[in-house]
Amino acid sequence: MFDKKEVIIIYDNESKEYCDYLFALISTKKDTVARCLSLQQYEENIATLSSENNIIFIGNNKITESKIKYTNNTFKKYGMNYGWIGRHCMLYVEDEMLEQDEYREFIDYTSKINTKFKEENMSVLAIQQNSSIVSLFSLFTPILGLGYIAYKLYSNYSDNKKKIKDQQYGTLINIFFTNGLDKFLGE
């Protein structure tokens, strides 16, 4: 009988749902077990962890920021990144929002992974095209009284920024699970 590989997934408040998704994917593997720890739990238990532990950090936070600069990016595309150094793996999405053309390419790229994705997400492009209008309106809002319009455009922009980041993380988790997890675990 062979030993199962163990993985600890570390998440912060913003990356909890992505941790849950990766955890569910890993649960489909018969040779790997995973457990999840919040950032706070990780910090409280760091003394009990050894260099033998395979740890996956998800998100941009105070812990991952210091590790990211030493990590070799195995995958870097459309603001999505994963890589590792030793037994520490980082999965994160850059804070900068994708430009309109880059988002179109991202949709096409992701559509190859998930055919329903393109149909479900083309509407984000329409509002993203208006994002430059937000900054224009913010300059003239006091003069023209267009505060409400600028607010509505900005709130749509903010909603889309979150939606796009969710799409990036979902895609990143899929790509890492499919192409990176086994390599990270040394299989």
Side-chain angles (χ1 to χ4, degrees):
M1 189 145 211
F2 61 93
D3 290 329
K4 290 188 175 195
K5 301 255 182 187
E6 292 184 41
V7 178
I8 301 170
I9 307 169
I10 310 298
Y11 65 90
D12 58 20
N13 292 339
E14 294 178 18
S15 62
K16 171 85 169 94
E17 69 182 280
Y18 316 122
C19 172
D20 292 341
Y21 181 44
L22 181 58
F23 180 84
L25 290 174
I26 291 173
S27 73
T28 65
K29 294 178 66 69
K30 293 180 180 175
D31 62 343
T32 309
V33 294
R35 66 182 164 129
C36 300
L37 294 176
S38 70
L39 206 53
Q40 181 180 352
Q41 291 169 321
Y42 170 75
E43 289 176 320
E44 291 169 357
N45 292 296
I46 197 164
T48 63
L49 299 174
S50 78
S51 62
E52 294 293 313
N53 294 113
N54 295 305
I55 302 175
I56 300 171
F57 296 88
I58 299 179
N60 276 331
N61 53 58
K62 63 184 179 181
I63 300 291
T64 59
E65 283 177 5
S66 65
K67 295 179 181 299
I68 287 171
K69 62 183 167 186
Y70 300 110
T71 301
N72 295 324
N73 275 347
T74 302
F75 177 84
K76 181 178 177 68
K77 197 168 204 154
Y78 303 113
M80 303 175 294
N81 299 271
Y82 76 74
W84 53 86
I85 183 167
R87 294 182 182 259
H88 288 192
C89 180
M90 309 309 138
L91 278 77
Y92 64 97
V93 171
E94 296 166 8
D95 287 331
E96 225 173 274
M97 190 163 167
L98 298 175
E99 295 294 325
Q100 182 182 347
D101 291 341
E102 196 176 21
Y103 184 67
R104 269 186 220 280
E105 293 172 19
F106 169 71
I107 289 173
D108 290 338
Y109 176 77
T110 302
S111 297
K112 293 174 186 168
I113 299 166
N114 178 359
T115 53
K116 282 181 61 180
F117 182 86
K118 187 170 188 173
E119 298 156 11
E120 294 172 353
N121 297 293
M122 284 303 285
S123 63
V124 174
L125 277 174
I127 294 172
Q128 191 178 12
Q129 288 174 339
N130 294 326
S131 65
S132 59
I133 295 171
V134 172
S135 56
L136 177 65
F137 277 138
S138 65
L139 293 173
F140 297 106
T141 298
I143 300 166
L144 301 175
L146 297 173
Y148 179 73
I149 294 170
Y151 168 76
K152 289 303 280 180
L153 286 172
Y154 178 75
S155 63
N156 284 339
Y157 175 78
S158 296
D159 291 345
N160 279 335
K161 187 173 182 177
K162 169 135 179 51
K163 184 176 181 179
I164 291 169
K165 191 164 275 225
D166 287 343
Q167 293 167 348
Q168 288 173 298
Y169 267 110
T171 302
L172 178 62
I173 298 292
N174 281 329
I175 292 168
F176 173 72
F177 179 75
T178 305
N179 302 327
L181 180 63
D182 289 342
K183 291 176 187 168
F184 168 63
L185 295 175
E187 295 177 11

